Amino acid sequence: MESSLKRKPTQSSPEAESPPPHKKQQNETEAETNGSTSGHGPVACLHDVSYPEGYVPPPQSSAKNDSTPAKEFPFTLDPFQREAIQCLDNGESVMVSAHTSAGKTVVALYAIAMSLKNQQRVIYTAPIKALSNQKYREFKEEFSDVGLMTGDVTIDPNASCLVMTTEIWRSMQYKGSEVTREVAWIIFDEVHYMRDVERGVVWEESIVMAPKNSRFVFLSATVPNAKEFADWVAKVHQQPCHIVYTDYRPTPLQHYVFPSGGDGLYLVVDEKAKFREDSFQKSLNALVPKSESDKKKENGKWQKGLVMGKLGEESDIFKMVKMIVRRQYDPVILFCFSKRECEFLAMQMAKMDLNVDDEKTNIETIFWSAMDMLSDDDKKLPQASWFLLQYVNVFSYVGIRHGNPGFKYVTPFKAWNWSASLWVTAHSERSDRDLVSRSCIEYIISAQCLFATETFSIGLNMPAKTVVFTNVRKFDGDKFRWISSGEYIQMSGRAGRRGIDARGICILMMDEKLEPSTAKSMLKGSADSLNSAFHLTYNMLLNQIRCEDADPENLLRNSFFQFQADRAIPDLEKQAKALEEERNSLVIEEEENLKNYYDLIQQYKSLKKDVREIVLSPKYCLPFLQSGRLVCIECTESDEKSPSFSIDDKVTWGVIINFERVKNVSEDDASKKPKDANYTVDVLTRCLVSKDGVAKKKIKIVPLKEQGEPLVVSVPISQIHSLSSVRSFMEKDLLPLAVREKTLKEVSEFLSREPGGLPLDPEEDMKIQSSSYKKAVRRIEALEHLFKKYEIAKSPLIEQKLKVLHMKQELTAKIKSIRKAMRSSSSLAFKDELKARKRVLRRLGYVTSDDVVELKGKVACEISSADELTLTELMFNGVLKDIKVEEMVSLLSCFVWQEKLQDAAKPREELDLLFMQLQDTARRVAKLQLECKVQIDVEKFVSSFRPDIMEAVYAWARGSKFYEIMEITQVFEGSLIRAIRRLEEVLQQLIQAAKSIGETEMEAKFEEAVSKIKRDIVFAASLYL
Amino acid sequence: MRDIQLPLNQTQKVRLQRALQQLESLYGNVHSGNSVTVADTIPVNYDDGVLRGHGTMDRDGQVVATLCGVVERVNKLVYVRTLRARYKPEVGDIIVGRVVEVAPKRWKLEINCNQDAQLMLSSMNLPDGIQRRRTAVDELNMRSIFVENDVVCAEVRNCPNEGGVQLQARSQKYGKLEKGQLLTVPPYLVKRQKQHFHHLEQDGVDLILGCNGFIWVGEHVEARDSMIVDQVNNAPGETSLETRQKICQIANAIRVLSTLGFNLNLEVILETVNLSTKLNLPINEMLGSEFHVLVAEREAERRSSKNTKRKG
């Protein structure tokens, strides 16, 4: 495979060329960090190269070396930057993996400068719009020839340097935009986003489909498997790909713990990355455990103790911010893990005044300039402007950021939201105003504290001095879990402004006891590795099928997912080899013979089991499960791993006390007939009770003659071996030990008289007539005959021999399963799913049997922001045709709304009717997929369309004011704005789709819909524009 | 029989007629009820709601055809597919065209459409395969890539409503076609398929079935590897006699099929070529009446056997 030809710590090479600058650089960093108490670790980076298989390096052109660099930077570059830039100068792809704020942008800037110099196009893609917008502004300042393309805006698409979201880049590639023929360098920022479950696949598609001769710059957070990623790129694009990896942080971090209820910070990890156990222990001791009642309430919810505090006392968060301000640790970003928590915590801060007087005036001016921008209607916002002003003034900018694409600051009170949006508006359109200068937002933020959700940690250039984690657990959809070390690294990366702060500060607010090891792995653990989150979508398939060159299978073959799966093969091979060796080391004499015997036993056992299953099926045995009947049950196996091999099972006897049906929670009781239900039988028998540490008592059923207590245990029917025809007289009260002892004694006495226990005859007593029973019985008899022929069975060591053979058999099975896994990973991943999905497309008439995309397919091709199949079906069924524009918009909102609202009101009847039509269509689509063997949960799929915001969107489309629609629903402003924006995206795609099928009326309708929703505050330009 | 104009003798006429009738009986009633001419009313069920597509209009509450052709229905969408019209481009079609004009930053191509298509300079890969912006120098050198009357293969990138089809050359296999023949057939004979490029390996011939009814048969060229800039390779080598004969044979087979009005796909073309080889027919006689009749009979036989197989 790829060979890594050189691996060296960079220090060796720069030192050889120019040791002084390196030294100097380090000194400078030192000076920059304002005499941080201790020097930091070496500013080293790892440089590695992945070459594609059979790669022949082109002859070195010496002319290149003396050309001037495309861009000079006013500061000395860090080694990793220098390394990366050298790769760029050589015209080779590079992956830069470093912490946020380490200065990866420098590499991007250089790549852009270089491309511009060579009259090549360069594309910069980022995962979120806000980041694209910010970068666009940054680059625009630096180089004038810059354009921006996001779902919202397109500015100067002919520029040489294009900033866009990765989705846009992907669709440009599918459409064969001319940019694809001119782009020399493609910069993927935050490429570790590829592991995102939902959107990660877009990166893989974009990278696989990228033009053959283009070069890449990948900027990523620190990932341990950067090499693997580079190998993949090298293989897919047949070009060398460099890896520059560094752990270096320009400003070292100090990690503190703030125990809840306590009143101080404890330094846990110092800037030399040393974990201080003692200090951590102290912090644990300072932790005031929450009262029991509190604990009950917050079960599954966010921590109340954190916000409420004790009566008359300040809440932790308040104390925390106060302390931060007092110690001049601000600006600070406080990360919360839910929007609600974010809002709630920010409200706690309302009483605090963080501003100096002149800042207040500034903010006032900003505010009024923002107000001027607003339409008269929007000025009539709830709580009016007075309220707004108050709050803007009081705590300047305790912004809370939700994960909405517009990057709006959403604030605790509704008014706050407005202030933010207003501010944004002012900022975007009146950039000539003195105060509303570009750096203003940074200025404001830099002076204050900011509550943010996790989304904020991605790439945006807004570092603070301090980062606070308000919680150590986050909810990940299923459960509350510890923050992973990768997440911690990403978020803590926001701390410490380069060149301003000596060190960044991370504060972990801890409200429960944490094992030091857990804390250690969280604070000092390694970054998450970059794993593929590849999955198939119909839109992707259709686009691939549509292109003459492309082929979905090809995409799968080249995906990172497949690459990682292929990598696993050698490991599996090794495992299989080891197991095989182990198997071969087991030598058994007369193996052939023994094997036959073994098989025979297995067969015999399974037959016996069959018979028992018939006899003891509830249908037959229930009438005989009376109390007092003697019953033969299997003993509990002493050890799971060594099953016995004798023909006779290890059995014991007991007395039936009672039986009862097992209630199965998941099943619908009414639908189950009593005959099919599961039963357990309470049996009095001798048991061995052993206590296993703290855990539950373990009860083992043992033969009567062995030692043990007489106990009543409940056993499943399957454990019953046979029923006796004898019933013993039962004492009424079984509680006294003596009574039980006596009963069992009677049983053993009876058994000594009748060793067989007089079992019930299945045919005569139990009236079992089934033919399968008779057949099985006959076969058992035949087998019993056969046993006698085996000499080997008489050998004294037969037991051990069989055990060895059994082990060998198990090893063989294991090897088989590993080989199977190998085969499946060497064959194409997703192959079956691909087949199934293609079947769906054919069944629905999207493609023909020879993979030609049909009309419906062309429509679905255009839709990438909503469920393409359901929406296309809806369209072709004419549902969208007859309804009013507002209703249509409202219906489409179900496609973009994903949050679950608990107590959302049902929409009015007309809308509900439409929604039901949508559900019908969705169900049909889902069922068809299921029939075509696509793994899908029909009901889950249907319920993924949520009607929660139908009313609100309906009102919005009818021209209501935003504050009015906010009164209709309880959703977050940010979420609603996000949904409406996404709705507009879907409508744009539908316009394209309608165009392609020649439906001019529909096209006009969609256009009208866009014009109806695209107005006012929802589409106010976002913060960075 | 409609407008097949061939000098046939009596027996040939009867045989051809029989073959065509047989074909008709196989597929005859599939479309018969669905074909419309201009101003025909298209019967639809109004209760379910109708989506009107291309070639239809609403007149006094009825859906009326505005084109001659076959009515197609997809769920509730109703549109008319024309049978004999000029080529109507769709995004993603592979087409073959002839350069009619070298204009600023673009070439204009005749593609059998009602308008000339445009191939932008920026939609073409540069001959050296380098990814960069096009400069004024590139623009001056456009004639070194294509000049008037060159035959070019490209893909339809988009077809805006206002006309002016945009083409592109996605990869190196698109571009100038040399050493071969360009045939024009009615565009409806070429159905959209997964593959329009065919490389007939044993003959060393490339066959490109352009969706616009322009068909290219030419000597096989290895897809030019953009990494290797090798001028020597571009020097025109002689095409061998066998290859030339092969090209002519295939071209004639296509001519025969198109005269008979059979759909063109690789399978049928190869079969016709094989038939002529088997009969040891000189290439020029392939265009004679006898071969036409033979092909028709053969095709009728093939389709009916295929049909029974499907039914069985």
Side-chain angles (χ1 to χ4, degrees), chain B residues 176-232:
Chain B
K176 192 161 161 178
L177 302 169
E178 285 170 306
K179 300 177 205 164
Q181 290 191 17
L182 178 70
L183 305 162
T184 45
V185 301
Y188 66 89
L189 291 182
V190 182
K191 289 275 173 284
R192 294 191 173 90
Q193 282 157 323
K194 182 68 191 154
Q195 279 296 322
H196 286 267
F197 287 86
H198 300 290
H199 172 209
L200 311 178
E201 269 173 49
Q202 78 269 35
D203 306 330
V205 172
D206 275 340
L207 173 66
I208 302 171
L209 301 169
C211 289
N212 58 340
F214 284 17
I215 291 173
W216 177 258
V217 191
E219 189 189 357
H220 175 67
V221 241
E222 280 303 326
R224 285 147 285 189
D225 195 337
S226 53
M227 301 295 275
I228 303 157
V229 189
D230 199 350
Q231 266 77 28
V232 192

Side-chain angles (χ1 to χ4, degrees), chain A residues 158 213 545 858 999 1001, chain B residues 52 90 129 133 168 194:
Chain A
N158 281 321
N213 291 331
I545 293 171
K858 283 183 183 166
E999 260 280 349
E1001 270 173 54
Chain B
R52 284 184 292 101
E90 276 179 36
R133 299 212 79 164
Q168 62 163 338
K194 182 68 191 154

Side-chain angles (χ1 to χ4, degrees), chain A residues 867-900:
Chain A
D867 184 77
E868 53 274 31
L869 292 191
T870 315
L871 191 46
T872 310
E873 286 299 308
L874 214 58
M875 192 165 158
F876 275 93
N877 285 338
V879 176
L880 302 182
K881 175 99 173 180
D882 305 322
I883 53 179
K884 280 189 266 153
V885 175
E886 293 87 9
E887 289 170 345
M888 180 180 77
V889 174
S890 165
L891 181 63
L892 291 176
S893 74
C894 306
F895 283 89
V896 293
W897 184 253
Q898 281 148 342
E899 285 171 46
K900 263 192 186 137

Side-chain angles (χ1 to χ4, degrees), chain A residues 644-656:
Chain A
S644 69
F645 293 99
S646 56
I647 308 165
D648 306 312
D649 294 304
K650 216 174 168 193
V651 291
T652 182
W653 288 81
V655 184
I656 295 184

Side-chain angles (χ1 to χ4, degrees), chain B residues 78-232:
Chain B
V78 176
Y79 67 97
V80 178
R81 181 169 57 85
T82 54
L83 285 179
R84 295 207 167 186
R86 273 181 178 272
Y87 165 65
K88 189 170 155 293
E90 276 179 36
V91 177
D93 283 353
I94 309 293
I95 54 111
V96 177
R98 197 184 275 280
V99 178
V100 288
E101 189 186 333
V102 182
K105 286 189 183 168
R106 78 201 65 196
W107 292 274
K108 286 199 172 162
L109 266 69
E110 152 66 15
I111 58 162
N112 197 21
C113 177
N114 52 8
Q115 280 178 317
D116 284 341
Q118 299 188 343
L119 177 61
M120 300 293 290
L121 172 60
S122 54
S123 300
M124 243 334 269
N125 286 302
L126 290 176
D128 49 6
I130 288 179
Q131 301 264 348
R132 62 178 165 82
R133 299 212 79 164
R134 310 307 188 239
T135 59
V137 182
D138 289 322
E139 213 176 314
L140 289 175
N141 287 335
M142 272 173 71
R143 280 178 184 278
S144 69
I145 305 179
F146 304 132
V147 292
E148 285 89 347
N149 290 329
D150 274 351
V151 180
V152 173
C153 171
E155 183 186 316
V156 177
R157 187 162 82 102
N158 70 16
C159 21
N161 282 354
E162 58 272 20
V165 183
Q166 298 277 341
L167 302 178
Q168 62 163 338
R170 214 181 251 275
S171 67
Q172 294 292 333
K173 73 179 178 183
Y174 299 88
K176 192 161 161 178
L177 302 169
E178 285 170 306
K179 300 177 205 164
Q181 290 191 17
L182 178 70
L183 305 162
T184 45
V185 301
Y188 66 89
L189 291 182
V190 182
K191 289 275 173 284
R192 294 191 173 90
Q193 282 157 323
K194 182 68 191 154
Q195 279 296 322
H196 286 267
F197 287 86
H198 300 290
H199 172 209
L200 311 178
E201 269 173 49
Q202 78 269 35
D203 306 330
V205 172
D206 275 340
L207 173 66
I208 302 171
L209 301 169
C211 289
N212 58 340
F214 284 17
I215 291 173
W216 177 258
V217 191
E219 189 189 357
H220 175 67
V221 241
E222 280 303 326
R224 285 147 285 189
D225 195 337
S226 53
M227 301 295 275
I228 303 157
V229 189
D230 199 350
Q231 266 77 28
V232 192

Side-chain angles (χ1 to χ4, degrees), chain A residues 579-589 591 803-812:
Chain A
L579 285 176
E580 257 168 21
E581 253 166 48
E582 198 183 330
R583 184 183 63 179
N584 292 342
S585 67
L586 295 174
V587 185
I588 305 168
E589 20 180 309
E591 192 175 336
K803 261 181 198 163
V804 173
L805 189 70
H806 181 74
M807 250 159 72
K808 205 165 174 176
Q809 296 281 332
E810 273 187 347
L811 280 176
T812 315

